[in-house]
Amino acid sequence: MEAQELKKRCSEELSFSPKLDKYKLTRFLAEKAIREKKIFAICGPYPVIRASLRKKGWVEKKLPLKNDLQDNTYDADDEGDRKNGKRNVLHEEVSCFEKSADIHDIMSRLVRNEEPSFFWTIKKDAVNYRDLHFDQMLNHYARTGSFTTKIGLCLNLRNLPWYVQANPNTFFPRCYGICMDVEKQEFIEDYRNTAASNILKWVVSFNVCNKKTQKTKEKASKEDVGQKKGSECSDEDVKQLPGKLIDMACNACEIYLGRMEHKDIDTAVNSSATLNEEEWNELVEQYYSLIHEGAVICNAHNYITQCQHILTKIMLANPQRDIDGSHNIWIIKPGAKSRGRGKSCLDRLEDILKLVETTDQCPVKDSKWVVQKYIETPLLIYETKFDIRQWFLVTDWNPLTVWFYKESYLRFSTQCFSLDNLDSSIHLCNNSIQKHYKNAADRNLLLPCHNMWTSTKFQEYLQKRGHGSMWQNVVYPSMKRAIFYTMKMAQDKVEARKNSFELYGADFILGQDFKPWLIEINTSPTMFPSTPVTTELCGQVQEDTLKVVLSRKFDKNCDTGKFELLWRQPLLELPPFNTTDLAVEGTGIRRCRQKVASVTNYNVLATLAGVQQESVPYHSANHEKQIQSIIAANEKQNLKDPKSIVYAISKPLKRQPEKSIQVSDVPTQCIGHTDFASFIVQPTQSIAETNPAPHMNRAKGKIDPNFWRVSQAALPFQVMNSFNRKLPRSSKPSGKQKNNQKIPCLVCGNTFQFEKTCKHCSSFCATVLQGSSYLPMNASSTPEKKVTGHKITLHSHVFRTYF
């Protein structure tokens, strides 16, 4: 049928050339899909999605099958039954299309090198989520564990009051992550307080039952009422409990009420009013005897007024008073598993703690147990428990956009409901669990044999029972409100991505007052047509999902099927601003690119006085420390220029105190050389001769830029107190000689008055010693054609460099 519709559509599009063969037809359709970006990929058993996309002109790109995805490990209900010899769903699906739709296989081969624009997978990990382009669509979001896992929903839903004005205890049964010590202690306190309140419930209910029994016996035998009041203690076969149990239960409930009303703020933690560990253990043991073993409390009628008064306060303060019951049953679930795996119902504290303690040596993921209060008073249909699977769709997280499906379905258990038997076949309605059991023989025949109803069928049932308005007025609006609250809580935790969407399945259980209680939310809900109900609804919800995420993308007024918009967060209105009003005020701070430790113990005068060619051995602890600091500073410098040359001084020349110092005014020859402390010399070109004339433009009085420069940031002699004083001379000239004495300029060769700036090139020797950018050359030095290595030669008061 599908192939015929495709050929019919293709023939209409190719009416101008009816003689095209099959290959040309498929090639034309494949090229058209590539141009329109209609390439999709599916990983999982979704034949409805595949067929719907092909009808819309999409072409599938085959993805390699993975072993972890072939086991149908998806969400809540694994419908595949490999134990009965059924073939794998993926292989059945592939073989089916290989036989009936070979034209699609040819088109898939033609687009095998194209990037899909639409992905529909069981799990997000089936594709590389991080490498997706912006325009590629995926049916999953990242980081949704805050509400799709049991441990995430348990811990994060408590923060709901920070997002909306709502109490999560009004629609979500209280839950604890018992794998954590703090959560474990809070659960133990909750269990004990629930046991204490159940004792008070027993006293009130026992009195009511006793009065009914007395009225029945009065009509039959007319016995004394006073004797019948104490009849509960007259039977020797029934275990009798002391009235002290009621006193402890009342005391515990009053402390519990005080905490809920915040009256314990100024009370010490180890207050004598609270029950100690021994009293709690005694209360819990007697509670087991009272509820599970049929024991009675003597003179319980004397505490009726006190118990009723306390219970009234508890009912007003506890929003979950209607689901607690009297058996104190809790359901234990693995924090990250689905399909009902590992779930069990227990009613004794020591059994629950023992079950959790056995998982301490298990992997972290398997040891995250969650314990949740079991709803002991659910709404029953023909004395059978059921739950509701409700779908909703999230198409955007910013702004939050949620779609709610108008149709849902009910799942029944195979056995009649009873609190005396905690078997999974009675209390867990997952189809993956109930499919392993046969329907009970005493079950009502009006229940479906496949254990499913549509919500429409359930509304008809309520109409016959006189509760026709309960679905539209109570059940349906309450489920929408619970979904909205949960999505608001999780909005900040989910990784929002445009062009992504996800379909979720929420499970609800109705109380006796028709109030829905959220149990859990599943990602990738099952779409397997296991029953006539799921065959109809699952196929319909998949087609409607494509209408919302694809058709509505181009037409906002298109048909969305049975999806209705639950909530679309309004966009935030940003205040207008003018870019011309933006300005930056202030001054920039230029930091030194290289940090070098300054040399403080180096004395130029001492080096000038030395006459030896080699330095005298010098041993000083301070000097060694300074050398190490210089080396460390050099290692931190990033020398971006590979031609940069680093000079370092190892030891200073030691001054000989027995010799006097006499410095000539005009140097004539070199007296020695040494290596200076760390500074960087960056060459601009190779210099063969040490002739200063080529570096000076005499006509313009400017220095050639192709000259050796010293980096100011790396020069360690920028701040040196010893350079600020005048250099000593051999003899003091007379006043006239002092004023008229002239010396040759070391840069341009012209003469100028000593200690004054040269009028021709504006250079003077003192500037060199204080960190000038240029190192002037001495014209009277002996020229050298080429000298290997780099030396800095000391004169009487001028530095000179040979290369």
Side-chain angles (χ1 to χ4, degrees):
M1 180 63 68
E2 181 184 351
Q4 294 177 359
E5 293 179 359
L6 181 62
K7 291 179 180 180
K8 181 179 179 181
R9 179 171 57 86
C10 298
S11 61
E12 294 176 357
E13 296 178 354
L14 302 177
S15 57
F16 60 89
S17 180
K19 297 182 179 181
L20 290 175
D21 56 4
K22 184 177 181 180
Y23 176 75
K24 293 183 179 181
L25 176 64
T26 56
R27 187 178 184 84
F28 171 80
L29 295 176
E31 292 177 352
K32 181 181 179 181
I34 294 174
R35 290 194 306 269
E36 297 178 357
K37 294 184 178 181
K38 289 187 176 182
I39 311 297
F40 73 95
I42 292 180
C43 184
Y46 298 105
V48 176
I49 297 295
R50 179 178 284 106
S52 299
L53 290 175
R54 286 174 174 175
K55 290 179 181 179
K56 297 178 183 295
W58 290 68
V59 178
E60 181 182 7
K61 177 183 178 180
K62 299 291 185 179
L63 293 179
L65 298 179
K66 298 181 179 180
N67 294 330
D68 57 342
L69 299 177
Q70 293 178 357
D71 297 332
N72 295 333
T73 56
Y74 59 96
D75 182 46
D77 293 329
D78 185 5
E79 313 294 351
D81 192 356
R82 293 183 296 273
K83 295 182 180 180
N84 296 332
K86 293 184 179 181
R87 298 178 60 187
N88 186 277
V89 179
L90 294 178
H91 293 296
E92 290 181 354
E93 184 180 336
V94 172
S95 62
C96 176
F97 282 102
E98 285 180 352
K99 296 179 181 179
S100 61
D102 52 351
I103 187 174
H104 297 293
D105 294 335
I106 298 176
M107 288 189 294
S108 297
R109 294 189 60 186
L110 293 176
V111 299
R112 64 183 181 273
N113 296 326
E114 301 294 331
E115 287 288 341
S117 301
F118 184 90
F119 289 91
W120 189 293
T121 63
I122 294 179
K123 296 185 293 186
K124 176 178 66 66
D125 299 336
V127 296
N128 196 341
Y129 180 83
R130 302 296 178 185
D131 293 344
L132 293 179
H133 301 296
F134 176 79
D135 57 345
Q136 289 180 305
M137 303 186 66
L138 178 66
N139 66 324
H140 291 288
Y141 288 102
R143 298 172 59 186
T144 59
S146 59
F147 68 96
T148 57
T149 60
K150 300 173 181 62
I151 186 68
L153 189 63
C154 169
L155 299 179
N156 291 285
L157 202 56
R158 301 172 187 174
N159 301 324
L160 180 63
W162 293 100
Y163 301 94
V164 293
Q165 295 181 355
N167 185 2
N169 292 327
T170 57
F171 64 91
F172 183 69
R174 56 190 184 276
C175 186
Y176 300 95
I178 200 171
C179 55
M180 294 172 283
D181 294 337
V182 177
E183 296 282 318
K184 182 179 179 179
Q185 186 61 34
E186 291 180 357
F187 161 68
I188 294 175
E189 294 179 0
D190 193 342
Y191 183 92
R192 291 172 173 176
N193 292 326
T194 305
S197 61
N198 288 344
I199 293 175
L200 304 187
K201 291 180 182 179
W202 182 92
V203 174
V204 175
S205 62
F206 181 80
N207 179 68
V208 174
C209 295
N210 193 25
K211 287 183 178 180
K212 292 181 180 180
T213 305
Q214 289 177 4
K215 292 180 180 180
T216 304
K217 291 184 178 181
E218 280 180 359
K219 296 178 181 180
S221 58
K222 295 182 180 182
E223 295 180 356
D224 187 15
V225 177
Q227 295 178 356
K228 294 176 182 178
K229 284 184 179 181
S231 60
E232 64 268 19
C233 297
S234 61
D235 193 352
E236 296 180 355
D237 296 336
V238 179
K239 183 178 181 180
Q240 301 178 6
L241 302 176
K244 179 183 176 181
L245 177 62
I246 302 178
D247 294 332
M248 289 191 299
C250 292
N251 185 20
C253 291
E254 290 177 353
I255 297 173
Y256 169 71
L257 287 172
R259 291 179 179 176
M260 296 187 66
E261 297 174 358
H262 306 289
K263 294 181 179 180
D264 61 333
I265 296 178
D266 299 329
T267 306
V269 178
N270 298 326
S271 178
S272 59
T274 59
L275 300 180
N276 55 35
E277 195 69 20
E278 295 180 358
E279 291 176 341
W280 273 119
N281 293 335
E282 181 182 358
L283 185 146
V284 172
E285 289 297 331
Q286 293 181 0
Y287 165 75
Y288 293 155
S289 301
L290 184 67
I291 300 300
H292 304 293
E293 300 175 5
V296 296
I297 302 176
C298 295
N299 302 323
H301 59 279
N302 297 331
Y303 299 90
I304 294 176
T305 304
Q306 182 182 2
C307 293
Q308 287 178 343
H309 178 70
I310 296 176
L311 284 177
T312 302
K313 293 183 178 180
I314 294 177
M315 295 299 177
L316 296 175
N318 184 14
Q320 299 185 8
R321 58 189 180 276
D322 297 330
I323 66 174
D324 280 349
S326 60
H327 287 68
N328 208 358
I329 302 175
W330 295 75
I331 181 169
I332 296 87
K333 313 174 185 179
K337 290 185 179 181
S338 59
R339 292 174 285 149
R341 294 173 296 177
K343 293 183 180 180
S344 58
C345 296
L346 299 175
D347 54 4
R348 291 181 179 267
L349 180 61
E350 56 272 13
D351 295 341
I352 298 174
L353 298 179
K354 183 179 180 180
L355 176 63
V356 176
E357 289 175 356
T358 56
T359 60
D360 291 342
Q361 299 180 353
C362 297
V364 177
K365 183 178 180 180
D366 297 335
S367 61
K368 291 184 178 180
W369 288 89
V370 171
V371 57
Q372 188 176 36
K373 186 65 185 71
Y374 181 77
I375 301 177
E376 299 183 17
T377 57
L379 180 66
L380 303 178
I381 297 179
Y382 301 122
E383 302 301 324
T384 306
K385 184 183 177 181
F386 67 95
D387 65 1
I388 301 177
R389 168 57 64 89
Q390 177 65 53
W391 291 301
F392 67 95
L393 176 67
V394 178
T395 56
D396 200 349
W397 286 98
N398 186 24
L400 179 62
T401 307
V402 184
W403 298 79
F404 198 82
Y405 206 65
K406 299 178 182 179
E407 194 72 29
S408 56
Y409 64 94
L410 281 65
R411 302 177 298 187
F412 294 91
S413 61
T414 57
Q415 312 298 320
C416 295
F417 183 76
S418 175
L419 294 178
D420 297 330
N421 186 359
L422 301 180
D423 190 74
S424 299
S425 61
I426 300 175
H427 303 282
L428 301 181
C429 300
N430 302 68
N431 189 54
S432 58
I433 294 178
Q434 296 297 331
K435 69 181 181 180
H436 299 292
Y437 299 95
K438 294 182 179 180
N439 295 336
D442 56 346
R443 209 173 73 140
N444 197 306
L445 297 178
L446 297 177
L447 291 173
C449 59
H450 50 76
N451 297 323
M452 285 189 184
W453 267 4
T454 62
S455 57
T456 304
K457 180 67 175 178
F458 179 58
Q459 296 179 51
E460 296 175 359
Y461 167 81
L462 295 177
Q463 189 70 29
K464 294 179 181 180
R465 294 281 175 163
H467 304 290
S469 62
M470 284 298 174
W471 178 263
Q472 294 296 335
N473 297 336
V474 180
V475 179
Y476 193 72
S478 298
M479 289 193 300
K480 294 170 66 175
R481 193 180 305 112
I483 295 300
F484 166 70
Y485 288 159
T486 307
M487 296 299 101
K488 287 288 291 183
M489 175 273 302
Q491 183 179 9
D492 295 341
K493 300 175 179 60
V494 178
E495 183 177 343
R497 179 187 179 273
K498 297 297 181 181
N499 284 328
S500 285
F501 64 94
E502 190 156 12
L503 182 67
Y504 301 99
D507 295 338
F508 291 91
I509 292 181
L510 302 183
Q512 292 181 352
D513 56 353
F514 298 94
K515 181 180 178 179
W517 292 88
L518 176 64
I519 304 302
E520 61 187 21
I521 297 178
N522 300 282
T523 182
S524 297
T526 177
M527 294 296 165
F528 193 86
S530 57
T531 64
V533 173
T534 54
T535 301
E536 176 186 358
L537 293 183
C538 292
Q540 189 175 9
V541 72
Q542 293 178 79
E543 293 181 356
D544 294 344
T545 301
L546 294 179
K547 293 179 181 179
V548 174
V549 300
L550 291 180
S551 301
R552 195 175 182 276
K553 191 175 181 180
F554 304 98
D555 184 9
K556 299 297 181 182
N557 298 323
C558 70
D559 179 30
T560 58
K562 293 186 178 182
F563 272 111
E564 64 172 338
L565 184 61
L566 172 61
W567 171 258
R568 179 176 175 82
Q569 188 179 29
L571 294 176
L572 298 178
E573 296 182 1
L574 300 177
F577 65 95
N578 190 358
T579 56
T580 59
D581 298 336
L582 300 178
V584 178
E585 296 180 358
T587 58
I589 300 177
R590 186 175 181 181
R591 298 182 59 184
C592 182
R593 296 178 58 185
Q594 300 176 357
K595 298 180 180 180
V596 181
S598 59
V599 180
T600 59
N601 67 334
Y602 188 79
N603 192 342
V604 176
L605 300 180
T607 59
L608 295 177
V611 294
Q612 298 180 356
Q613 297 296 329
E614 297 180 359
S615 61
V616 180
Y618 181 76
H619 301 281
S620 175
N622 295 332
H623 178 72
E624 294 296 333
K625 291 182 180 179
Q626 292 176 358
I627 293 302
Q628 295 298 328
S629 63
I630 293 174
I631 296 175
N634 290 334
E635 292 177 353
K636 294 182 180 179
Q637 296 176 359
N638 296 324
L639 301 179
K640 298 182 179 180
D641 191 353
K643 298 181 180 180
S644 300
I645 307 170
V646 178
Y647 290 85
I649 181 171
S650 58
K651 296 178 183 180
L653 296 177
K654 184 177 180 180
R655 176 179 177 180
Q656 299 180 4
E658 64 276 4
K659 293 185 179 182
S660 60
I661 300 176
Q662 291 184 356
V663 182
S664 60
D665 294 337
V666 181
T668 59
Q669 62 180 357
C670 300
I671 59 175
H673 70 275
T674 184
D675 294 332
F676 273 88
S678 173
F679 66 92
I680 302 174
V681 180
Q682 298 179 350
T684 58
Q685 69 179 8
S686 179
I687 301 176
E689 297 182 358
T690 59
N691 189 2
H695 302 287
M696 172 55 61
N697 189 339
R698 299 179 181 271
K700 298 182 180 181
K702 297 182 181 180
I703 300 177
D704 191 347
N706 296 326
F707 196 72
W708 285 85
R709 302 179 63 90
V710 179
S711 176
Q712 293 286 346
L715 196 61
F717 301 105
Q718 293 179 4
V719 181
M720 191 70 69
N721 295 331
S722 60
F723 293 155
N724 294 333
R725 56 186 177 181
K726 300 178 180 179
L727 296 175
R729 301 171 186 170
S730 59
S731 63
K732 294 183 179 181
S734 62
K736 184 178 180 179
Q737 183 182 1
K738 178 178 181 181
N739 296 330
N740 298 327
Q741 184 180 4
K742 295 182 179 181
I743 62 174
C745 179
L746 301 179
V747 176
C748 62
N750 295 308
T751 59
F752 68 101
Q753 190 172 354
F754 186 73
E755 296 183 348
K756 290 185 179 181
T757 307
C758 179
K759 296 181 180 180
H760 298 276
C761 62
S762 300
S763 301
F764 53 92
C765 299
T767 308
V768 178
L769 294 178
Q770 294 181 359
S772 175
S773 299
Y774 295 92
L775 295 180
M777 307 292 292
N778 188 358
S780 62
S781 60
T782 303
E784 297 176 2
K785 294 299 182 179
K786 186 175 181 182
V787 180
T788 58
H790 306 284
K791 300 179 181 179
I792 297 179
T793 306
L794 290 178
H795 297 279
S796 59
H797 61 280
V798 177
F799 293 106
R800 184 173 182 181
T801 307
Y802 292 96
F803 298 95

